[in-house]
Amino acid sequence: MLNKELDAEDSAVTDDVFMRRAMELAALAEAEGEVPVGAVVVHDGVIIGEGWNRSIGHHDATAHAEMMALRQAGQMLQNYRLIDTTLYVTLEPCPMCAGAIVHSRVGKVVFGAHDAKTGAAGSVMNLLSYEGVNHHVLFQGDVLATECRAQLQAFFKRRRAEKKAAKLLARQQQHDD
C-alpha cells in the first residue's frame, strides 16, 4: 500500500514538472500574441516534443500547441504512432487536437484547465475515449488547473483591455477630426 501511495505521489510531482514546462511554453505563445497554451510529449520520462500555439503567426489553423508537440515527437521517434507517451497540455484539447491524439496513439493526456466551450476530453464531449474510436486515450484533468486557468484569464483580460483602449482612441481621433 505504501508503494502505491509513493507511486501516486511521484506521479503527481512528475505531472507538475511537465505541466510547468508546458506553462513556460504557453508563455512563449503569449509573447508571440497567441492564446497561451503549451504542450509537451513525454516518452520514458523524457520530453520528446514541445509546442505552443502558433496559429496566428504561422497562418495555420492547425498550429495548436498539441499539434506542434505531436509533430516534433513524431520526428523524434521517426514514427507517427506515439505509443506509450503522455501529452501534457495547459488547456483541455479541442476536437481537432483530440482526433490527432487518438490517431497518434498517445497513451495518456494530462491537462490543466478545462475548456467549457470546446473541451474534447470530457467538458463538452469526450473524443479521447468512446465506443466508436479505435484507440482509447487515458486522460486526467486539473493538474495545476488554477495556475493554467490564471495564465489564460490574464491573457484574455489584457486583450479585452487593449481592444477597449484601441476603440476609445479611435473614437477620440474621430472626434478630434
Side-chain angles (χ1 to χ4, degrees), residues 6-174:
L6 289 176
D7 288 345
E9 203 171 291
D10 288 346
S11 177
V13 169
T14 301
D15 288 348
D16 284 2
V17 168
F18 290 125
M19 188 61 73
R20 288 196 189 287
R21 177 60 185 152
M23 290 177 68
E24 291 171 3
L25 296 169
L28 294 177
E30 184 170 3
E32 295 175 6
E34 304 272 357
V35 175
V37 177
V40 297
V41 177
V42 176
H43 184 256
D44 291 335
V46 177
I47 294 174
I48 60 167
E50 296 185 329
W52 58 94
N53 276 358
R54 305 197 81 184
S55 296
I56 297 167
H58 284 206
H59 310 289
D60 179 0
T62 69
H64 287 195
E66 301 95 323
M67 302 293 274
M68 304 301 276
L70 291 172
R71 288 178 186 135
Q72 191 176 72
Q75 291 298 310
M76 186 73 149
L77 294 181
Q78 289 294 289
N79 195 337
Y80 76 95
R81 290 187 175 203
L82 304 176
I83 297 167
D84 297 325
T85 61
T86 300
L87 173 78
Y88 292 85
V89 61
T90 57
L91 181 65
E92 181 179 1
C94 72
M96 173 186 69
C97 292
I101 290 163
V102 169
H103 285 294
S104 297
R105 306 298 195 270
V106 169
K108 183 177 181 181
V109 171
V110 177
F111 65 90
H114 287 267
D115 185 344
K117 292 182 181 178
T118 63
S123 288
V124 176
M125 62 193 87
N126 179 7
L127 298 180
L128 295 180
S129 185
Y130 69 96
E131 206 170 300
V133 73
N134 62 335
H135 173 72
H136 297 267
V137 180
L138 299 173
F139 61 92
Q140 172 188 350
D142 296 323
V143 173
L144 299 180
T146 302
E147 293 95 326
C148 291
R149 190 177 317 103
Q151 190 175 33
L152 286 157
Q153 288 173 336
F155 170 80
F156 285 112
K157 183 178 181 179
R158 191 184 80 251
R159 183 184 256 184
R160 283 189 300 272
E162 288 169 355
K163 285 184 178 184
K164 186 176 180 179
K167 281 183 182 180
L168 186 60
L169 181 62
R171 276 193 225 131
Q172 287 174 347
Q173 287 174 343
Q174 282 180 341

